[in-house]
């Protein structure tokens, strides 16, 4: 910015003693100076305008480039919504196997086995799978289709359990593999072996009778004997010459068997709840938590109950060292539920430094931030049991977030394939942990199952009490705070306090409840 000269400096005032010629000369000189200064200012202004215009054009071009990037993103999202024939064409032609694995894994969410086989068979009749892809020879297409079917049959044989699905598979193989000798027998041989292995793993009960059986009802004598053992759980364990570390090792091996019994499809849409009760991890977790809480609340004496709680904290710490986060969460949950947490005489045990440290790591705050950062530091190849609840939380977020995985349109169903790839990546990280077992990777003689301890768990876990019975046990130890009588007239704050204290979960439920049996140490 150039300062404008004042008029007093530009126009000279004529003095009395100056002549007319001198006044004219001085005035012309001042006007020339003013003209020169004005030209300099105009030049500066033009330069400033040019710079601002250049900056504005750059800003517009940057915004335009951002808009172009956004348009590309939108177009790529539109491209990921593919019809099922185009998606099959893309998956079969893909060089990476993860596209095929993601497609087969999420297939029940948007299509059926027979529909995919029909599309493949019709494509082979035309000699091309169609789509806007570069053409390849029919023989190359046939090889890719047979490779895709072999991978499908090997990893997910349950898709071909019915006779109609098997017949459709045979027709598709004969249509594709007419020019390839031995393709038909090879794929059917893989299918028979995979189906046999699948049936053996899903019809055999895992870990004998350790899993919960809802239809099995215990007799009164069996329940009484089980509760007697639960009340003196750690005393019985010491009689077996076992310590808290042995309990943690046995529970870790059980948790590992539970994790390995899960199939990839069990995580999708929570199919594990409906398919097989032996792999219902939610029911198993609830049973384990009730078992731990029952062992605590059966001890009426404060000193004995405190001793049991400290023993469970030791078990949890050993599970934490063994990277068994599934059992660790079950112990933390069992010691933090209302029937146990409300007892004032033993609440100080829950402030144990180790227990507080483990509870902070497994906290749900900030989307399990502490736990996620903790498991990143694991040594590669070391066995560990992940927390099942976090896996299902992430799966629920992927399956129910926007945009939807499947969209119904006039031309048919379209699939958002990027969502399928994300689900595949999540489950791939989960199943990598199943490759490393404690028995094979830890060259340690201590990581072996103890049959006597396992049998003791089997005899006691079935007698674990439900939540209503646990509240009854808790109220026997510490009764509810009695409310004020109706004759007295407490203040407003007093009435509010009495209501808040007396409020609690209902003791009685509509469903028939198992008879609660109080045992004593003298009965053992």
């Amino acid at each position: 910015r150039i300062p404008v000269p004042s008029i007093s400096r530009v126009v000279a005032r004529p003095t009395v003693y100056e002549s007319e010629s001198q006044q004219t000369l001085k005035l012309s000189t001042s006007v020339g100076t003013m003209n020169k200064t004005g030209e300099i200012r105009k030049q500066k202004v033009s330069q400033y305008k040019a710079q601002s215009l250049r900056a504005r054009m750059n800003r517009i071009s940057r915004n335009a480039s951002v808009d172009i990037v956004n348009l590309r993103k939108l177009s790529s999202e539109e491209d990921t919504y593919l019809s099922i024939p185009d998606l099959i064409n893309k998956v079969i032609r893909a060089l990476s196997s993860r596209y095929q694995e993601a497609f087969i894994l999420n297939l029940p969410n948007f299509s059926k086995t027979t529909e995919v086989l029909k599309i493949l068979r019709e494509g082979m009749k035309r000699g091309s799978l169609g789509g806007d892809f570069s053409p390849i020879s029919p023989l190359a297409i046939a090889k890719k289709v047979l490779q895709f079917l072999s991978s499908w049959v090997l990893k997910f044989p349950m898709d071909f359990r019915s006779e109609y699905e098997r017949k459709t598979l045979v027709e598709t193989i004969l249509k594709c593999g007419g020019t390839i000798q031995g393709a038909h027998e090879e794929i059917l041989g893989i299918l028979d072996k995979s189906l046999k292995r699948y049936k053996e793993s899903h019809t055999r009960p895992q870990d004998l009778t350790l899993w919960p059986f809802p239809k099995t009802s215990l007799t009164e004598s069996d329940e009484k004997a089980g509760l007697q053992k639960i009340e003196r759980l750690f005393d019985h364990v010491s009689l077996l010459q076992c310590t808290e570390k042995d309990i943690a090792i046995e529970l870790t091996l059980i948790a590992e068997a539970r994790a390995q019994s899960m199939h990839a499809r069990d995580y999708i849409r929570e199919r594990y709840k409906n398919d097989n009760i032996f792999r219902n991890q939610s029911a198993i977790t609830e049973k384990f938590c009730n078992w731990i809480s029952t062992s605590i609340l059966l001890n009426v004496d404060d000193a004995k109950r405190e001793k049991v709680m400290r023993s469970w904290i030791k078990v949890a710490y050993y599970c934490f060292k063994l990277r068994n986060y599934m059992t660790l969460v079950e112990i933390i949950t069992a010691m933090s539920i209302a029937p146990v947490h409300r007892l004032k005489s033993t609440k100080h045990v829950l402030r144990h430094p180790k227990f507080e440290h483990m509870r902070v790591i497994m906290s749900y705050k900030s989307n399990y931030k502490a736990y996620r950062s903790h498991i990143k530091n694991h040594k590669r190849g070391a066995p560990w049991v992940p927390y099942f609840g976090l896996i299902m939380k992430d799966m629920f977020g992927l399956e129910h977030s926007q945009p939807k995985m499947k969209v119904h349109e006039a031309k048919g169903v379209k699939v958002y394939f990027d969502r399928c790839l994300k689900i595949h990546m999540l489950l791939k990280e989960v199943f990598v942990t199943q490759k490393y077992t404690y028995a094979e990777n830890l060259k340690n003689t201590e990581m072996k199952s103890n049959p006597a301890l396992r049998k003791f768990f089997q005899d006691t876990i079935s007698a674990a009490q439900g939540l209503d019975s646990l509240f009854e046990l808790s109220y026997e130890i510490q009764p509810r705070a009695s409310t004020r009588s109706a004759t007295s007239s407490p203040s407003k704050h007093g009435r509010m306090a009495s209501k808040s204290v007396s409020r609690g979960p209902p003791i009685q439920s509509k469903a028939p409840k198992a008879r609660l049996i109080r045992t004593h140490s003298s009965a053992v």
Side-chain angles (χ1 to χ4, degrees), residues 13-23 26:
R13 294 176 181 178
T15 56
V16 177
Y17 55 85
E18 289 180 342
S19 63
E20 185 178 354
S21 60
Q22 290 177 342
Q23 293 177 6
K26 192 171 183 179

Side-chain angles (χ1 to χ4, degrees), residues 323-447:
R323 298 176 295 276
N324 176 15
Y325 303 106
M326 190 67 205
T327 307
L328 174 62
V329 172
E330 290 169 354
I331 296 174
I332 293 174
T333 304
M335 298 181 67
S336 302
I337 62 173
V340 179
H341 192 269
R342 65 179 292 273
L343 301 178
K344 297 180 181 178
S345 57
T346 52
K347 187 174 285 189
H348 65 278
V349 182
L350 301 178
R351 293 190 288 269
H352 193 279
K354 290 182 180 179
F355 188 74
E356 285 287 343
H357 174 66
M358 293 183 291
R359 190 158 57 179
V360 167
I361 290 180
M362 303 307 300
S363 174
Y364 63 89
K365 293 182 179 179
S366 302
N367 195 14
Y368 293 89
K369 182 179 179 180
Y371 170 67
R372 293 179 191 273
S373 61
H374 177 73
I375 61 178
K376 286 182 180 180
N377 300 326
H378 283 178
K379 184 179 179 181
R380 184 173 179 82
W384 64 292
V385 182
Y387 174 42
F388 177 76
L390 181 58
I391 300 171
M392 295 313 303
K393 179 181 180 297
D394 293 341
M395 282 296 301
F396 186 85
L398 286 174
E399 290 174 346
H400 297 278
S401 59
Q402 296 292 336
K404 295 181 179 179
M405 182 183 295
K406 182 175 68 173
V407 177
H408 294 277
E409 295 184 355
K411 296 182 180 179
V413 176
K414 285 195 172 184
V415 182
Y416 185 62
F417 193 59
D418 286 356
R419 185 65 47 76
C420 300
L421 292 173
K422 290 180 181 179
I423 291 175
H424 172 256
M425 290 301 296
L426 172 63
L427 294 181
K428 188 176 181 181
E429 293 177 0
V430 172
F431 283 96
V432 163
T433 62
Q434 295 186 3
K435 296 181 180 179
Y436 312 110
T437 60
Y438 286 92
E440 295 178 358
N441 291 271
L442 289 182
K443 298 179 180 179
N444 193 346
T445 55
E446 295 180 355
M447 293 302 297

Side-chain angles (χ1 to χ4, degrees), residues 158-190:
M158 72 289 294
D159 292 344
F160 306 95
R161 284 178 290 186
S162 66
E163 290 295 331
Y164 180 68
E165 291 169 345
R166 187 183 179 91
K167 181 182 177 182
T168 311
L169 174 65
V170 171
E171 293 176 356
T172 307
I173 294 173
L174 292 176
K175 195 69 181 177
C176 298
T179 56
I180 301 175
Q181 188 177 2
H184 173 259
E185 294 80 2
E186 182 180 356
I187 295 180
L188 289 183
I190 295 173

Side-chain angles (χ1 to χ4, degrees), residues 15-136:
T15 56
V16 177
Y17 55 85
E18 289 180 342
S19 63
E20 185 178 354
S21 60
Q22 290 177 342
Q23 293 177 6
T24 304
L25 179 62
K26 192 171 183 179
L27 181 62
S28 63
T29 305
S30 301
V31 170
T33 305
M34 183 186 69
N35 292 337
K36 186 176 180 180
T37 307
E39 289 178 0
I40 294 173
R41 184 184 178 191
K42 287 181 181 180
Q43 186 178 2
K44 292 288 185 181
V45 169
S46 63
Q47 289 179 0
Y48 173 75
K49 286 184 177 181
Q51 291 177 359
S52 61
L53 181 62
R54 201 178 301 115
R56 185 181 177 189
M57 293 300 295
N58 292 335
R59 190 163 56 250
I60 292 173
S61 63
R62 282 198 302 269
N63 292 336
S65 63
V66 170
D67 293 336
I68 291 172
V69 170
N70 292 335
L71 287 174
R72 286 176 181 173
K73 287 183 179 179
L74 290 174
S75 63
S76 64
E77 288 182 0
E78 291 177 359
D79 291 343
T80 51
Y81 272 104
L82 299 173
S83 63
I84 295 179
D86 292 340
L87 181 58
I88 293 173
N89 192 4
K90 180 179 179 180
V91 165
I92 290 179
R93 291 169 179 261
L95 299 177
S96 176
S97 62
R98 74 185 187 98
Y99 284 85
Q100 297 183 5
E101 293 174 359
F103 174 81
I104 300 170
L105 175 64
N106 294 273
L107 179 63
N109 289 331
F110 51 80
S111 184
K112 296 181 180 179
T113 303
T114 53
E115 183 181 353
V116 174
L117 294 175
K118 182 180 178 182
I119 293 173
L120 289 174
R121 195 165 62 250
E122 291 177 353
M124 291 308 299
K125 282 183 181 179
R126 298 191 304 266
S128 173
L129 295 177
D132 299 330
F133 299 93
S134 58
I136 57 177

Side-chain angles (χ1 to χ4, degrees), residues 275-291:
D275 186 20
N276 195 330
I277 192 62
F278 298 113
R279 292 178 289 111
N280 190 341
Q281 300 300 320
S282 298
I284 297 169
T285 297
E286 183 180 358
K287 197 75 173 178
F288 268 102
C289 291
N290 292 341
W291 176 58

